[in-house]
Amino acid sequence: MNSLILRTGATFVMPLLLVFSVFLLIRGHHLPGGGFAGGLVAAASLTLYGLVNGMGAAKAVLRASPEIWIAGGLGLAVLSGVPGLVLRGSFLAPIWGTLGGVKVGTPLAFDLGVYLLVIGVVLTMVFALSEEGQA
Amino acid sequence: MTVLPVVVPLAWGAILLALGARPRWQRLGSLLAHGCYLAAAVGLFRRVTEDGPQASSLGNWPPPFGIAFCADALAATLVLLTAAVAAPVALFALALADGRWERQGYHALVQVMLAGVSGAFLTTDLFNLFVWFEVTLISSFVLLTLGGGKAQVQGGFKYVALNLLSSVVFLSAAGLLYGTTGTLNLADLGSRPIEPRDAWLVGLVGVLFLSTFSIKAALFPVFFWLPAAYPTPAAPVAALFAGVLTKVGVYAMLRTGSVFFAEATGVWTPLLLALSVPTMLVGVLGAVVQSDWRRILAFHSVSQVGYMVAAVGIGGKAGFLAAVLFMVHHGLVKSALFVAAGVGWRLGGSYRLGKLGGFARSHGLFSALFLILALSLAGLPPTSGFAAKLAAVRAALEGGHGWIAGAMVATGLFTLYSMVKIWNEAFWKPAPETMELRRPAPREMALLHLPLAAFAAMALLVGLGVGPALPAASRSADLDRQAYVRAVMGGPEP
């Protein structure tokens, strides 16, 4: 993509999208949003970055391959259920605590797992499709 | 306890995915993962046989609002069966693995599929059943097409197209049922009366559910994805699918039928009985004309589903016992026969019976193990097949369905014919001159034979253990609907 407007626009839009995705992730506990929607927005932001700077650059931003993101997200989501199983006898039972005056708990970890997983899944697809286009 | 057979494979799926393209670690992880799954399944089974049905709901949200899992004797048996099939198949996969599937995520996908199958067996909620069906479908679709040959993609496409249709019908039916009754929790559905003005709608929904489960179970006339998909994938994938996938559909019929649909809709049972006979006959006749080892086995899977569905339709204690026994028998033996086909392919280089021969002389142990398993599928004593078929025919006769019993016996004869055909072609006749017998290293030979030996031992154990005890077992076995409803609705475990 060699459009000046897109390149300039993406520079401003991408960080905004990333911040917005985190906002969606945190908002999702009580209101519409959550890990899935947040993950989609974050993945869209990274895809935009890849369209402007090349998918190789987007892969470099991710640092690990998207499969690792999927594995990490799935692992975190599963792990977030374990404290409930141990402490309350029920898998995924929420355990809450406060960290520096902010209420945090296992549901947030679960949502974060979904967030990472969705980023990984969408980018796996985007990278695979972009490679197909070049071949 | 109840969630462990779902959570453990999911966690291992994440770990194996993170291990990436490291074949050694992948294989080690896969063995550990199957060990953990087997331990979780055995633990659950023992708990259920000792203390009765176990229920738990995720996050302690009480049913019918929360997502509940319940393991009764039926669900625990099927989870144990899945583990007992998956573990030997994992050994078999190690014998054939060449690093190619590992890079494409074979081991991680198997774990995700096991999580999906266990979830389908353990959930008490129809919408969650849909979700677990999807988990199973997506992971199995990728497994089917690993390696990506043309035939594989064709078979996989038929599989996924028909199963997506089934998903659409399932989702619509679940929506209608929720709109009518206000709940999708099976135990909740089973414990409340249906208003007379809703009866016709519930009947319609029942038929919709039956058609989606029929596609999953490969029932006549929607079975054709199975013979298209099973003969194409990598050998261990076919073996795992043959043991596990259709059982999920039959289980769904058995579970939802016994708790809710059979009573709530008048047409459920007659439809099952009417469809079971053509399923048996079309499957077995389709197998007779095939000359490819795995195609014969795939068509037989269809005909064997006919037996299970007939037993589900017959119902009562005898029918229930026959259905469970048949699912266990078929899961073990059909997986084993697909493993045997894979061993034949590894040694002789083909699945086409015309290109194989002479195994009886060159590979005595392999031949003996195949013979035990083939005779078990045909239903000869003292194997599991004999016990299962005896239970099925007895249930049909006791229920007054003489024509179904007749179809079962006829199907058994044709099954024997097909097994003798494989034996004659691949084992008995002299090896054709074009066949180059491959000689794998001793370690690989051991890994090829070990799963077959394990399966043959389990088939004999089921046959010897259950066969003589059948009359007594048929009196005591029952699908205790009340206990199931109590276990789920009585709230989470204290």
Side-chain angles (χ1 to χ4, degrees), chain B residues 149-161:
Chain B
K150 193 180 167 197
Q152 265 176 285
V153 175
Q154 273 177 353
F157 183 75
K158 282 178 194 157
Y159 172 72
V160 94

Side-chain angles (χ1 to χ4, degrees), chain A residues 68, chain B residues 16-26 99 102-105:
Chain A
I68 301 292
Chain B
L16 288 169
L17 197 58
L19 285 176
R22 296 183 186 86
R24 259 169 198 286
W25 286 97
Q26 289 265 348
E102 272 114 345
R103 273 194 295 282
Q104 295 178 329

Side-chain angles (χ1 to χ4, degrees), chain B residues 226-253:
Chain B
L226 194 152
Y230 280 17
T232 55
V237 174
L240 187 60
F241 284 13
V244 170
L245 279 191
T246 52
K247 310 298 168 299
V248 179
V250 177
Y251 167 81
M253 289 179 188

Side-chain angles (χ1 to χ4, degrees), chain B residues 379-458:
Chain B
L380 265 61
T383 56
S384 61
F386 177 69
K389 281 194 180 163
L390 183 65
V393 173
R394 184 195 285 265
L397 289 176
E398 276 174 11
H401 305 285
W403 51 290
I404 291 184
M408 285 174 174
V409 174
T411 308
L413 276 180
F414 281 114
T415 311
L416 185 60
Y417 168 78
S418 292
M419 292 303 118
V420 169
K421 179 168 152 187
I422 296 181
W423 172 260
N424 278 343
E425 291 282 326
F427 292 85
W428 205 242
K429 83 167 187 240
E433 284 170 11
T434 50
M435 183 171 121
E436 276 181 44
L437 207 57
R438 296 180 198 164
R439 304 210 173 277
R443 183 175 154 278
E444 192 188 333
M445 280 303 269
L447 276 177
L448 288 174
H449 282 89
L450 200 61
L452 280 178
F455 276 127
M458 284 191 277

Side-chain angles (χ1 to χ4, degrees), chain A residues 67-68 70-72 74-75 78 82 85 88-94, chain B residues 1 3-4 7 10-11 13-15 17-18 57-61 112:
Chain A
E67 283 89 359
I68 301 292
I70 298 177
L74 184 60
V78 172
V82 175
L85 187 65
R88 299 268 171 83
S90 173
F91 188 70
L92 284 175
Chain B
M1 276 307 280
V3 294
L4 283 186
V7 174
L10 262 187
I15 296 171
L17 197 58
S57 60
L58 294 185
N60 277 337
W61 293 93
V112 176

Side-chain angles (χ1 to χ4, degrees), chain B residues 101-252:
Chain B
W101 318 324
E102 272 114 345
R103 273 194 295 282
Q104 295 178 329
Y106 168 81
H107 296 299
L109 283 164
V110 167
Q111 293 303 317
V112 176
M113 193 186 118
L114 290 178
V117 171
S118 314
F121 287 146
L122 292 171
T123 185
T124 65
D125 182 282
L126 282 172
F127 185 75
N128 268 278
L129 185 63
F130 168 78
V131 173
W132 295 119
F133 273 2
E134 293 301 295
V135 172
T136 313
L137 172 65
I138 299 300
S139 48
S140 58
F141 173 60
V142 183
L143 282 172
L144 260 183
T145 49
L146 274 190
K150 193 180 167 197
Q152 265 176 285
V153 175
Q154 273 177 353
F157 183 75
K158 282 178 194 157
Y159 172 72
V160 94
L162 203 56
N163 275 286
L164 279 181
L165 180 70
S166 140
S167 302
V168 171
V169 177
F170 194 153
L171 204 54
S172 327
L176 280 173
L177 188 64
Y178 188 75
T180 314
T181 62
T183 183
L184 286 176
N185 184 309
L186 270 174
D188 197 23
L189 280 170
S191 60
R192 60 166 72 180
I194 299 161
E195 295 191 26
R197 67 185 166 86
D198 291 336
W200 69 274
L201 198 54
V202 173
L204 175 74
V205 167
V207 174
L208 288 178
F209 272 111
L210 185 61
S211 49
T212 88
F213 297 156
S214 301
I215 293 177
K216 296 283 171 196
L219 200 61
F220 178 86
V222 282
F223 62 87
F224 50 83
W225 62 266
L226 194 152
Y230 280 17
T232 55
V237 174
L240 187 60
F241 284 13
V244 170
L245 279 191
T246 52
K247 310 298 168 299
V248 179
V250 177
Y251 167 81

Side-chain angles (χ1 to χ4, degrees), chain B residues 281-292 295-301 303 414-415 417-419 421:
Chain B
L281 295 178
V282 169
V284 84
L285 292 177
V288 164
V289 299
Q290 301 297 328
S291 58
D292 177 294
R295 269 181 205 286
I296 295 178
L297 295 177
F299 273 99
H300 273 296
S301 278
S303 87
F414 281 114
T415 311
Y417 168 78
S418 292
M419 292 303 118
K421 179 168 152 187

